[in-house]
Amino acid sequence: MQDRMMAAVLYGVGDVRLEQRPVPVPGAGEVLVRVHRVGVCGSDVHYFRDGRIGHYVVQAPMVLGHESAGEVVALGSDVTTLKIGDRVALEPGYTCGTCRYCKSGRYNLCPDVVFMATPPVDGALAQYVAWPATHCFPLPESMTMDDGAMMEPLAVGLWAVERGRVRPGDVVAVFGCGPIGLLTLQAARTAGAARLIAVDIAPARLAHARRLGATDVVDDRSGDATEQIRQLLAGSGDAWSSMGVDVALETAGSVRTTRNTLQVTRPGGVAVLTGLPAQPMVELDIVSAASKEIDIRGQFRYANRYPPAIALAGSGRIDVRSLVTHHFDLMHAQEALEFADARKDVAIKVMIDLV
Amino acid sequence: MQDRMMAAVLYGVGDVRLEQRPVPVPGAGEVLVRVHRVGVCGSDVHYFRDGRIGHYVVQAPMVLGHESAGEVVALGSDVTTLKIGDRVALEPGYTCGTCRYCKSGRYNLCPDVVFMATPPVDGALAQYVAWPATHCFPLPESMTMDDGAMMEPLAVGLWAVERGRVRPGDVVAVFGCGPIGLLTLQAARTAGAARLIAVDIAPARLAHARRLGATDVVDDRSGDATEQIRQLLAGSGDAWSSMGVDVALETAGSVRTTRNTLQVTRPGGVAVLTGLPAQPMVELDIVSAASKEIDIRGQFRYANRYPPAIALAGSGRIDVRSLVTHHFDLMHAQEALEFADARKDVAIKVMIDLV
Amino acid sequence: MQDRMMAAVLYGVGDVRLEQRPVPVPGAGEVLVRVHRVGVCGSDVHYFRDGRIGHYVVQAPMVLGHESAGEVVALGSDVTTLKIGDRVALEPGYTCGTCRYCKSGRYNLCPDVVFMATPPVDGALAQYVAWPATHCFPLPESMTMDDGAMMEPLAVGLWAVERGRVRPGDVVAVFGCGPIGLLTLQAARTAGAARLIAVDIAPARLAHARRLGATDVVDDRSGDATEQIRQLLAGSGDAWSSMGVDVALETAGSVRTTRNTLQVTRPGGVAVLTGLPAQPMVELDIVSAASKEIDIRGQFRYANRYPPAIALAGSGRIDVRSLVTHHFDLMHAQEALEFADARKDVAIKVMIDLV
Amino acid sequence: MQDRMMAAVLYGVGDVRLEQRPVPVPGAGEVLVRVHRVGVCGSDVHYFRDGRIGHYVVQAPMVLGHESAGEVVALGSDVTTLKIGDRVALEPGYTCGTCRYCKSGRYNLCPDVVFMATPPVDGALAQYVAWPATHCFPLPESMTMDDGAMMEPLAVGLWAVERGRVRPGDVVAVFGCGPIGLLTLQAARTAGAARLIAVDIAPARLAHARRLGATDVVDDRSGDATEQIRQLLAGSGDAWSSMGVDVALETAGSVRTTRNTLQVTRPGGVAVLTGLPAQPMVELDIVSAASKEIDIRGQFRYANRYPPAIALAGSGRIDVRSLVTHHFDLMHAQEALEFADARKDVAIKVMIDLV
């Protein structure tokens, strides 16, 4: 095996450089993965464009990318669960395993998490990555490397639905039909949503949502999404449903969609905030929300969602493949980031191919 | 409207008589329903064949049938939610609405429940039934009267899955592929089961299970279902899943399947007992079950499952129609019961057509 | 029994008049209660002072009062669960019993609720009230009529704790030490809170909180409650607890305490909004809250809390009696309202005695 | 520090020998604890008397004891959360931290658990133990070393109550008033049980139960515990409660109490099986249990219960001290085991003092 590799390193705003680095050596419990695919996430674009996300600031050169899949090419010591040649999806965050968050099933809240491409941790946009075997999940034959890289955003969607407690027969609204929205939509369908309302301002994304199972789509370019949803529900002739949706899932990350999410939730329902507005302080009608006795549940990444993600994508119940609209090679990583940023009209998931 | 109707009345073991009765007059809050379809349930067969189910004993002549759908033909006073001509499925049990069970969301446990065809309450196997409007659920155009009558057993299946807390990605086993088993199977799939193992001793039922979404079928004529399941799970190459299924759902009602249900459940998993053995005292390996820290959850009918049942069947996510294998008319109600009892090899759901 | 009675009727802002009314006749399922005690609630004061609460506007003369206890003096037809002479607490809201909210255990969200002293429904501040027997809960001998009238605000506190899922060993903060706050505090202690931080700006209320089980009190006159709480938790030497409280319960109803409630909740914790700010739109740091993955849960009254309230107060586990600081008679109902409004410095619960 | 120590080693049935062993050297992340107290658990007695518990068989010499507390006297590398001189309670099981059980909050089900005094792992009945710092919980000044050793059985009681979902106001029955029963009783009280029925056949234990908060005690020497409980509940005059207890907690581990536990649980209630009968197959009225739709929940040790145990015992809300009835020194470890086995009439918790 070669001992040098190429990695795409963010040096500053708008400045990604391909540079040579030594191939990492897997430590105890780690495997060396030859990376095949890395998906471009909104957070990658943010770091690339702005150099920061909130209080996470890129200070030293950092490798981007945390949605990845590849092939196991070497084993560190004490690895028994994987073998060379395994095709794996990499869960990008590993945690201490001993704090109360880790021990109580919500390891995503571990304060000592090490998460790819979150400063100062390097990401996966390199030809090789050494990573804990426990966080490399084998892919069934039915899944491609593209599919494998999509497990990360699918884990987000599945966690949104877990946070929202979607149950069979529920009426669900999903705000935003980007990659996270379209995967959340499918996760909600998988959890039993019988009526599934997708909201966006891009007709192409709404069309995609419909193909993926949305029973109703709401074009919010007119700014009247809540009124459109109200009319859709009133048409059901069911007093219960006419009061709002059982679960509303916010993935768009704007102030307006956050407000709308609370507004369309029926009394006693659940609103999940997966997307986050850029500004910290948001004016909300919290009095109405609380009087309706709804739950407003935040989301931070996910916990324990790789196994169900692989089970559901591997069995064909969730379609991740159609979301991959564009491919770039590692040489054009910067172009991939620029394209993902500039062309949200046509791009859903931009994938970088390393093999 | 005519003032006389025909009803199929159980007079004793094996003795169903068609007799003329006055058409009931809907009271306040009730509607008069012209019954179109009544499905034959295992409990109907039990009363017909044995005159009793446990401590429920048929003493006076009783109209059978509690899986029904029909058309609203008259309204009692104070009915605002339905209109003449509405096609409805009838939820067969209504409850006091004021006890702590009713008020805490588990009205199925109300000690004052009035339930069709459970002594001494008459059932739906009559040309007309007067029933509370609150317990008549309108059917969308996409649903037939056959479908409507199937909402009752589907409600059972959905409640099993609710009791079992099936979540997206789960591995689920369903013991028994009769009508309840096949509907529970679909309910589990709707709730996100990624791997769905169906167990029965009738190849035709297993084939039907596979058509309805079972990913694996286990023919238990050899009596080694738990070993077959163990091998299926071991083949997954996943240490977690190889310890057992996340949720096991028992619908067959035998001692052996009850034992198997506990045995195949993984540590920390849930076993739901929907079917019940004929004998009260059952010898179980409760020590193993408790040491695995599983939940063994009983089931008694269902609560609040008609709306999701109609939403899921109406949108095509659950197929109830293919389960209706045979039709009889009201004149041949006794033959329908005899056939349902004798020909489990070919019959799944036997339907009695009144219109 | 006499056929005339006196009632305290709100005619307009600041205008309560004692007037003669016919004693009501209990209908089917109702009992006639001779009212002994009515507690003055903040909502009574709001209607008295402002003529409205949000979109609830007093338009016709309305009897105030919804925290009441009394003696059953006559039975309507069909009443089997109560007898003349029973001492009862009256749950002030009754609901349709048939909508999906009622049937799923959250009857407090029933759109057809009839709730005492909420326009246009008359309240309990009258010598006699006819009320559904199902909503009159017998008091054990250990409880006084004062105690009985306190079951209503205690039900609010118990529901806050139910919404917040307080578990044994939790660290809990309660914002606001008025009647609801002090009862919520005790409810949290009853549910197992091991550390219980009370926040208020009135030293007398904080002292009362400490007597009722608060392990720490925070005087927020300085406006630095969150910093004080941070220091209290840091002193615990426990990394988990130093990140915030497990459950934060807001009962003060101000913008600042609402913000503080979200801020002091640890990642993955629960914030319950029982009090509501006067203004609908509130600027909140929802991004931090969602990134911490907390649940923000609203509250609207309560469901199924009278039985536990009576069980806990009756067995002495919760002290409601010490909260009753002042008594007025019916003749001085207006003075009671004025006093409750003006003297929050000394009054916790003002009680009106009708017997 | 000395390099030799004494340990109490089980060589065979009834054969405990004090022998000299080297003081262990704490590895990375471990601390060396000078053991002060070790409580004698029923499992220690079983291994001592029978050489086995089910399929756990003592084969090589094994140090007994897993309820322990002591003082940190040396730190291995990488220990930052403890310092020399800390007084700690030792959680006796540590787990892999990476399997799905560990990562989903139920680490007690980890198949790779290392648990003190469970073959082949040595226990704590030695002058020094090296143990992971993450599993050593500092004791507040209010707690003695005796208290510290009691955290282990208290964790069991708290987990029983967590499994049982005891809520404020519940009616709870506890079968068995040995150490686990008395701690479960207190845990249930801490979680809000308003009525708490203790069942045993030893009057002294029932008297102790009453002192610790039982509102009712049932002497089952007559074998009619369920009838006594029925009468107690009927006397409450409350239709709901007269149907059974909300939560029944079995800690006695006999076939009869297991049956009784299911029998006294109300419809929709929860039965927790903490104790386990000696025989694997148990004949139960599972049909009644399932028809009542109760949950039968097993228990295997506990997860995440040391922090609440210490918070509740440290603040005085739970009394562990009065359960320690007898002390022996390390020289008399064998006598301690014999006494605990033979004198259940007077002994509740037998403690072995090493310092």
Side-chain angles (χ1 to χ4, degrees):
Chain A
M1 190 186 308
Q2 60 186 73
D3 61 352
R4 300 286 168 79
M5 67 174 190
M6 298 307 293
V9 186
L10 179 67
Y11 268 80
V13 171
D15 178 12
V16 166
R17 305 179 197 167
L18 265 197
E19 71 180 20
Q20 200 181 51
R21 292 197 168 188
V23 170
V25 176
E30 290 187 335
V31 295
L32 185 68
V33 176
R34 186 182 181 205
V35 180
H36 282 231
R37 293 288 183 282
V38 176
V40 176
C41 172
S43 69
D44 296 312
V45 172
H46 275 294
Y47 286 125
F48 172 69
R49 194 182 58 198
D50 306 327
R52 67 186 301 157
I53 298 177
H55 58 283
Y56 294 106
V57 180
V58 179
Q59 288 174 314
M62 182 182 82
V63 178
L64 289 172
H66 64 269
E67 304 176 353
S68 68
E71 182 186 348
V72 175
V73 293
L75 309 179
S77 61
D78 303 330
V79 173
T80 58
T81 56
L82 293 175
K83 61 180 187 308
I84 289 175
D86 280 351
R87 300 159 63 251
V88 293
L90 283 68
E91 180 169 348
Y94 62 84
T95 52
C96 78
T98 59
C99 74
R100 279 177 68 180
Y101 289 107
C102 283
K103 289 167 75 173
S104 66
R106 293 181 84 169
Y107 64 73
N108 52 323
L109 303 177
C110 172
D112 295 324
V113 61
V114 173
F115 201 92
M116 284 181 173
T118 301
V121 182
D122 275 338
L125 199 39
Q127 290 181 300
Y128 294 92
V129 166
W131 204 242
T134 51
H135 288 66
C136 297
F137 293 84
L139 300 175
E141 286 186 17
S142 60
M143 288 176 69
T144 65
M145 287 288 183
D146 272 12
D147 296 345
M150 293 296 286
M151 294 302 93
E152 209 278 340
L154 178 54
V156 174
L158 286 166
W159 190 244
V161 161
E162 181 70 20
R163 292 284 295 152
R165 305 281 184 276
V166 175
R167 300 297 305 157
D170 276 356
V171 179
V172 174
V174 178
F175 285 87
C177 294
I180 296 296
L182 292 173
L183 292 165
T184 299
L185 179 92
Q186 291 189 80
R189 183 176 155 83
T190 305
R195 187 164 195 178
L196 203 36
I197 304 169
V199 186
D200 204 304
I201 53 175
R205 293 189 169 206
L206 289 172
H208 206 124
R210 198 181 278 285
R211 284 194 296 276
L212 294 174
T215 57
D216 303 270
V217 297
V218 167
D219 185 332
D220 193 27
R221 281 177 296 178
S222 50
D224 63 347
T226 60
E227 174 58 20
Q228 288 186 61
I229 292 173
R230 198 192 62 72
Q231 289 180 13
L232 282 172
L233 298 175
S236 71
D238 168 6
W240 170 275
S241 294
S242 70
M243 283 187 272
V245 302
D246 297 301
V247 183
L249 303 159
E250 206 296 306
T251 74
S254 77
V255 169
R256 192 159 65 90
T257 51
T258 301
R259 285 183 188 148
N260 287 352
T261 297
L262 303 192
Q263 192 178 333
V264 304
T265 304
R266 69 159 170 80
V270 182
V272 178
L273 305 184
T274 304
L276 292 177
Q279 65 195 81
M281 298 298 288
V282 178
E283 201 179 56
L284 295 175
D285 186 353
I286 199 74
V287 171
S288 291
S291 300
K292 287 194 295 186
E293 202 169 274
I294 68 173
D295 284 16
I296 305 170
R297 299 189 180 159
Q299 174 172 10
F300 185 68
R301 295 168 181 161
Y302 45 78
N304 298 306
R305 292 305 107 181
Y306 266 65
I310 292 172
L312 292 165
S315 65
R317 294 207 57 192
I318 288 184
D319 164 26
V320 297
R321 208 167 296 170
S322 75
L323 273 64
V324 181
T325 50
H326 296 81
H327 285 263
F328 290 78
D329 62 17
L330 182 59
M331 282 294 168
H332 297 85
Q334 172 139 352
E335 285 76 5
L337 289 157
E338 289 168 350
F339 186 86
D341 189 20
R343 298 303 306 277
K344 292 203 182 68
D345 55 334
V346 296
I348 296 176
K349 178 59 69 183
V350 172
M351 193 65 70
I352 299 175
D353 301 0
L354 291 98
V355 174
Chain B
M1 191 186 307
Q2 60 187 70
D3 61 352
R4 299 288 166 78
M5 67 173 190
M6 298 307 294
V9 185
L10 179 68
Y11 268 80
V13 171
D15 179 11
V16 166
R17 305 180 197 165
L18 265 197
E19 70 180 20
Q20 200 182 51
R21 292 198 168 188
V23 171
V25 177
E30 292 187 334
V31 294
L32 185 69
V33 176
R34 186 182 181 203
V35 180
H36 282 231
R37 293 289 184 279
V38 176
V40 175
C41 172
S43 69
D44 295 312
V45 172
H46 275 296
Y47 285 124
F48 172 69
R49 193 182 60 199
D50 307 326
R52 66 187 301 159
I53 298 177
H55 57 282
Y56 294 106
V57 181
V58 179
Q59 289 175 313
M62 183 182 80
V63 178
L64 289 172
H66 63 270
E67 305 175 352
S68 67
E71 182 187 348
V72 174
V73 293
L75 308 179
S77 60
D78 303 331
V79 173
T80 59
T81 56
L82 292 175
K83 62 182 185 305
I84 290 175
D86 280 350
R87 300 158 64 251
V88 294
L90 283 68
E91 179 168 349
Y94 62 83
T95 51
C96 79
T98 59
C99 74
R100 278 177 68 178
Y101 290 107
C102 283
K103 289 168 74 174
S104 66
R106 294 181 81 170
Y107 64 75
N108 52 323
L109 304 176
C110 172
D112 295 323
V113 61
V114 173
F115 201 92
M116 283 182 176
T118 301
V121 182
D122 276 337
L125 200 39
Q127 291 181 301
Y128 294 92
V129 167
W131 205 243
T134 52
H135 289 64
C136 297
F137 293 84
L139 300 174
E141 286 184 18
S142 60
M143 289 176 68
T144 65
M145 286 289 182
D146 271 13
D147 296 346
M150 293 296 286
M151 293 304 93
E152 209 278 340
L154 178 53
V156 174
L158 286 166
W159 190 243
V161 161
E162 181 70 20
R163 292 285 294 153
R165 304 283 183 275
V166 175
R167 300 297 306 157
D170 277 357
V171 179
V172 174
V174 177
F175 286 87
C177 295
I180 296 295
L182 292 174
L183 292 166
T184 299
L185 179 93
Q186 292 190 78
R189 182 175 155 83
T190 305
R195 189 165 195 177
L196 202 37
I197 303 169
V199 186
D200 204 304
I201 52 175
R205 294 189 170 207
L206 290 171
H208 206 122
R210 197 180 278 284
R211 284 194 296 275
L212 294 174
T215 57
D216 303 271
V217 297
V218 168
D219 186 331
D220 193 28
R221 281 177 296 177
S222 51
D224 63 348
T226 60
E227 173 58 19
Q228 289 186 60
I229 292 173
R230 199 192 61 72
Q231 289 180 14
L232 282 173
L233 298 176
S236 71
D238 168 7
W240 170 274
S241 293
S242 70
M243 284 187 271
V245 302
D246 297 301
V247 183
L249 303 160
E250 205 296 307
T251 74
S254 77
V255 169
R256 192 159 65 89
T257 51
T258 301
R259 285 183 187 147
N260 287 352
T261 297
L262 303 191
Q263 191 178 332
V264 304
T265 303
R266 69 159 171 80
V270 181
V272 179
L273 305 184
T274 304
L276 293 176
Q279 64 194 82
M281 297 299 287
V282 178
E283 201 180 57
L284 295 175
D285 186 352
I286 199 75
V287 172
S288 291
S291 300
K292 287 194 296 186
E293 202 170 274
I294 68 173
D295 284 16
I296 306 170
R297 298 191 180 158
Q299 175 172 9
F300 184 68
R301 296 169 182 160
Y302 44 78
N304 297 307
R305 292 305 108 180
Y306 266 65
I310 292 172
L312 292 164
S315 65
R317 294 207 58 190
I318 288 184
D319 164 26
V320 296
R321 208 167 297 171
S322 76
L323 273 64
V324 180
T325 50
H326 296 81
H327 285 263
F328 290 79
D329 62 16
L330 181 59
M331 281 296 171
H332 297 84
Q334 172 139 352
E335 285 76 6
L337 289 157
E338 289 167 351
F339 186 87
D341 188 20
R343 297 303 306 278
K344 293 204 181 65
D345 54 335
V346 296
I348 296 175
K349 178 58 68 183
V350 172
M351 193 63 72
I352 300 176
D353 302 359
L354 291 99
V355 174
Chain C
M1 190 186 307
Q2 59 187 73
D3 61 352
R4 300 286 167 79
M5 68 174 189
M6 298 307 294
V9 185
L10 179 67
Y11 268 80
V13 171
D15 178 11
V16 167
R17 306 180 196 166
L18 265 198
E19 71 179 22
Q20 200 181 51
R21 291 196 169 189
V23 170
V25 177
E30 292 187 334
V31 294
L32 185 69
V33 176
R34 187 182 180 205
V35 179
H36 282 231
R37 293 289 183 281
V38 176
V40 175
C41 172
S43 69
D44 296 312
V45 172
H46 275 295
Y47 286 125
F48 173 68
R49 193 181 58 199
D50 306 326
R52 67 186 299 159
I53 298 177
H55 58 282
Y56 293 107
V57 181
V58 179
Q59 289 175 314
M62 181 182 83
V63 178
L64 289 172
H66 64 270
E67 304 176 352
S68 68
E71 182 187 348
V72 174
V73 293
L75 309 179
S77 60
D78 303 329
V79 173
T80 59
T81 57
L82 293 175
K83 62 181 186 306
I84 290 175
D86 280 351
R87 301 159 62 252
V88 293
L90 283 68
E91 180 169 349
Y94 62 84
T95 51
C96 79
T98 58
C99 74
R100 279 178 69 180
Y101 289 107
C102 283
K103 289 168 75 173
S104 66
R106 294 182 83 170
Y107 64 74
N108 53 322
L109 304 177
C110 172
D112 295 324
V113 61
V114 173
F115 201 92
M116 283 181 175
T118 300
V121 181
D122 275 337
L125 200 40
Q127 290 181 300
Y128 294 92
V129 166
W131 204 242
T134 51
H135 288 66
C136 297
F137 293 84
L139 300 174
E141 285 185 17
S142 60
M143 288 176 70
T144 65
M145 287 289 183
D146 271 13
D147 296 346
M150 293 296 287
M151 293 303 93
E152 208 278 340
L154 178 54
V156 174
L158 287 166
W159 190 243
V161 161
E162 181 70 20
R163 291 285 294 152
R165 305 283 184 273
V166 175
R167 300 296 306 157
D170 276 357
V171 179
V172 174
V174 177
F175 286 87
C177 295
I180 296 295
L182 292 173
L183 293 165
T184 299
L185 180 92
Q186 291 189 79
R189 182 176 155 83
T190 305
R195 187 164 196 178
L196 202 36
I197 303 169
V199 186
D200 204 303
I201 52 174
R205 293 188 170 207
L206 289 172
H208 206 123
R210 196 180 278 284
R211 284 194 296 276
L212 294 175
T215 57
D216 304 271
V217 297
V218 168
D219 186 331
D220 193 27
R221 282 177 296 177
S222 50
D224 64 347
T226 60
E227 174 58 19
Q228 289 186 61
I229 292 173
R230 199 192 62 72
Q231 290 180 14
L232 282 173
L233 297 176
S236 71
D238 169 5
W240 170 275
S241 293
S242 70
M243 283 187 272
V245 302
D246 297 300
V247 183
L249 304 159
E250 205 296 306
T251 74
S254 77
V255 169
R256 192 158 65 89
T257 52
T258 300
R259 284 183 189 149
N260 287 351
T261 297
L262 303 192
Q263 192 177 333
V264 304
T265 304
R266 69 159 171 80
V270 181
V272 179
L273 305 184
T274 304
L276 292 177
Q279 65 194 82
M281 297 300 286
V282 178
E283 201 180 56
L284 295 175
D285 186 352
I286 199 75
V287 171
S288 291
S291 300
K292 288 193 296 186
E293 202 168 273
I294 67 173
D295 284 16
I296 305 170
R297 299 190 181 158
Q299 175 172 11
F300 185 68
R301 297 171 181 157
Y302 44 79
N304 298 306
R305 292 305 108 181
Y306 266 66
I310 292 172
L312 292 165
S315 66
R317 294 207 57 191
I318 287 184
D319 165 26
V320 296
R321 209 167 296 171
S322 76
L323 273 64
V324 180
T325 50
H326 295 81
H327 286 263
F328 289 79
D329 62 16
L330 182 58
M331 280 296 171
H332 297 85
Q334 171 139 353
E335 285 75 5
L337 288 157
E338 289 166 350
F339 187 87
D341 188 20
R343 298 303 307 277
K344 293 203 181 67
D345 54 334
V346 296
I348 296 175
K349 178 57 70 183
V350 173
M351 193 65 71
I352 299 175
D353 301 0
L354 291 97
V355 175
Chain D
M1 190 185 306
Q2 59 186 69
D3 62 352
R4 300 286 168 79
M5 68 172 190
M6 299 306 294
V9 185
L10 179 67
Y11 270 79
V13 171
D15 179 11
V16 167
R17 305 180 197 166
L18 264 198
E19 71 179 21
Q20 199 183 50
R21 293 198 167 186
V23 171
V25 177
E30 290 187 336
V31 295
L32 185 68
V33 176
R34 187 182 180 203
V35 180
H36 282 231
R37 293 288 183 281
V38 176
V40 176
C41 172
S43 69
D44 296 312
V45 172
H46 275 295
Y47 286 125
F48 172 69
R49 193 181 59 198
D50 306 327
R52 67 186 301 158
I53 298 177
H55 58 282
Y56 294 107
V57 182
V58 180
Q59 289 173 314
M62 181 182 82
V63 179
L64 289 172
H66 64 269
E67 304 176 352
S68 67
E71 181 187 347
V72 174
V73 293
L75 308 179
S77 60
D78 303 331
V79 172
T80 58
T81 56
L82 293 175
K83 61 182 187 306
I84 291 175
D86 280 351
R87 301 159 62 252
V88 294
L90 283 68
E91 180 169 349
Y94 61 84
T95 51
C96 78
T98 59
C99 74
R100 278 176 68 178
Y101 290 107
C102 284
K103 289 167 74 173
S104 67
R106 293 182 83 169
Y107 64 74
N108 53 323
L109 303 177
C110 173
D112 295 324
V113 61
V114 174
F115 201 92
M116 284 182 173
T118 301
V121 182
D122 276 337
L125 201 38
Q127 291 180 300
Y128 294 92
V129 167
W131 204 242
T134 51
H135 289 65
C136 298
F137 292 83
L139 300 174
E141 286 185 17
S142 60
M143 289 176 69
T144 65
M145 287 289 184
D146 271 13
D147 296 345
M150 293 297 285
M151 293 303 93
E152 208 278 339
L154 178 53
V156 174
L158 287 167
W159 190 243
V161 161
E162 181 70 20
R163 291 284 295 152
R165 305 280 184 276
V166 176
R167 299 297 306 157
D170 276 357
V171 179
V172 174
V174 177
F175 286 86
C177 295
I180 296 295
L182 292 173
L183 292 166
T184 299
L185 179 92
Q186 291 189 79
R189 183 176 155 83
T190 305
R195 188 163 196 179
L196 202 37
I197 304 169
V199 186
D200 204 304
I201 53 175
R205 294 189 169 205
L206 289 172
H208 206 123
R210 197 181 277 285
R211 284 194 297 276
L212 294 175
T215 56
D216 304 89
V217 297
V218 168
D219 186 331
D220 194 27
R221 282 177 297 178
S222 50
D224 64 347
T226 60
E227 174 58 20
Q228 289 185 60
I229 291 173
R230 198 192 62 73
Q231 289 180 13
L232 282 172
L233 297 175
S236 71
D238 169 6
W240 171 274
S241 293
S242 70
M243 283 187 271
V245 303
D246 297 300
V247 183
L249 303 159
E250 205 296 306
T251 74
S254 77
V255 169
R256 192 159 63 88
T257 52
T258 301
R259 285 183 188 148
N260 287 351
T261 297
L262 303 191
Q263 192 177 333
V264 304
T265 304
R266 70 159 170 80
V270 181
V272 179
L273 304 184
T274 305
L276 292 178
Q279 65 194 81
M281 297 299 287
V282 179
E283 200 179 59
L284 295 175
D285 186 352
I286 199 75
V287 171
S288 291
S291 300
K292 288 194 294 186
E293 202 169 274
I294 68 174
D295 284 17
I296 305 170
R297 298 189 181 160
Q299 175 172 9
F300 184 68
R301 297 170 180 158
Y302 44 79
N304 298 306
R305 292 305 108 180
Y306 265 65
I310 292 173
L312 291 165
S315 65
R317 295 206 57 189
I318 287 183
D319 165 26
V320 297
R321 209 168 294 171
S322 76
L323 272 63
V324 180
T325 51
H326 296 81
H327 285 262
F328 290 79
D329 61 18
L330 181 59
M331 281 296 171
H332 297 86
Q334 172 139 352
E335 285 76 4
L337 289 156
E338 290 167 351
F339 186 87
D341 188 19
R343 297 303 305 276
K344 292 204 182 67
D345 55 334
V346 296
I348 296 175
K349 178 56 69 182
V350 173
M351 193 65 70
I352 299 175
D353 301 0
L354 292 98
V355 174

